[in-house]
Amino acid sequence: MRSYQYRAHSERHRTERIGWLRAAVLGANDGIISTASLVAGVAAANASHANIMTTAVAGLVAGAMSMAAGEFVSVYSQADTEKADLERERQELAADGEAEHRELTAIYVHRGLEPELANHVATQLMAHDALGAHARDELGISEALSARPLQAAMASALSFAVGAAMPLAVVALAPAHSLLVWTVVSAACLLALLGTIAALVGGTPIVKSALRVTFWGTLAMAVTAGVGALFGAVV
């Protein structure tokens, strides 16, 4: 009888990056947009350079903490839901393994396997790891896509801080009389770069990703600058 030995290989897929990539892109994007928009709004209101710098620093710190807390709570809720589903599945396996076997077989038949082969596959997979088989094929929970709250929170906070630090550097270095222009243009360029990096890492169309991120970020800055200019004129 021929024996088969599984040999691991080094192939990696982009879905393995989806957790931290989502949090990192969201954090950096929000860091650039929110901080640049704050600066644009305050600058358009004719605030002093010191006030603009204070606003940018406060926006960086508050935004990073907010992103970390929000991401942690959100992803932790997802993790709790996954744990509850797994516990329910564990109880169902213990209570009626035959019904769970039929359910798994039906899933494989629906995916295109012949009933006899589907039954055989379900039998072998459940003999190896029944809960793991149902987690993957019935619940859609896998190790690569499972919720990791702390990882997501740290990625969001760090990426937000990095993104927000760039408009902050512009405030510190750009001439006061053209600070608004420098802020908007540099932020738009950074957003385009971020969209490009995200597309390269995620394997999505580069131009589409860069344009989407830049458009919405520029729109946010324009609206905020408009409100700031209106507020400054009223005051």
Side-chain angles (χ1 to χ4, degrees):
M1 179 182 296
R2 182 182 300 177
S3 62
Y4 293 90
Q5 183 176 5
Y6 173 76
R7 183 173 62 183
H9 57 86
S10 59
E11 181 180 354
R12 297 181 66 86
H13 299 281
R14 292 186 173 92
T15 51
E16 298 174 2
R17 311 167 180 168
I18 195 168
W20 66 262
L21 176 61
R22 171 187 168 274
V25 170
L26 178 62
N29 181 74
D30 198 23
I32 295 172
I33 293 176
S34 62
T35 306
S37 295
L38 280 172
V39 170
V42 176
N46 298 316
S48 66
H49 188 273
N51 286 339
I52 296 175
M53 178 63 75
T54 301
T55 299
V57 172
L60 186 155
V61 176
M65 295 300 98
S66 176
M67 287 291 293
E71 194 72 17
F72 184 85
V73 170
S74 174
V75 179
Y76 207 100
S77 297
Q78 178 186 341
D80 282 344
T81 301
E82 291 179 356
K83 290 179 182 177
D85 284 343
L86 288 174
E87 180 59 31
R88 187 180 302 109
E89 195 64 33
R90 184 181 289 108
Q91 294 173 3
E92 291 175 354
L93 284 167
D96 193 348
E98 286 298 322
E100 292 301 304
H101 181 276
R102 290 194 298 272
E103 185 177 25
L104 196 61
T105 299
I107 291 173
Y108 296 144
V109 170
H110 181 71
R111 291 182 181 177
L113 295 183
E114 294 293 333
E116 183 177 353
L117 179 57
N119 179 71
H120 186 61
V121 170
T123 299
Q124 288 202 344
L125 288 179
M126 289 186 66
H128 174 70
D129 181 6
L131 182 60
H134 281 269
R136 287 189 309 271
D137 298 319
E138 181 184 349
L139 304 178
I141 300 174
S142 66
E143 183 179 354
L145 301 178
S146 61
R148 295 180 175 86
L150 188 59
Q151 180 193 64
M154 293 178 63
S156 293
L158 180 60
S159 57
F160 183 98
V162 171
M166 298 176 184
L168 181 60
V170 173
V171 174
L173 301 175
H177 66 276
S178 57
L179 179 58
L180 180 57
V181 175
W182 274 96
T183 299
V184 174
V185 173
S186 62
C189 293
L190 290 170
L191 289 170
L193 177 61
L194 176 64
T196 300
I197 293 174
L200 290 173
V201 175
T204 57
I206 294 177
V207 175
K208 183 179 180 180
S209 176
L211 287 177
R212 180 176 61 247
V213 174
T214 305
F215 171 78
W216 288 108
T218 304
L219 179 62
M221 289 184 286
V223 171
T224 309
V227 172
L230 179 62
F231 179 78
V234 171
V235 174

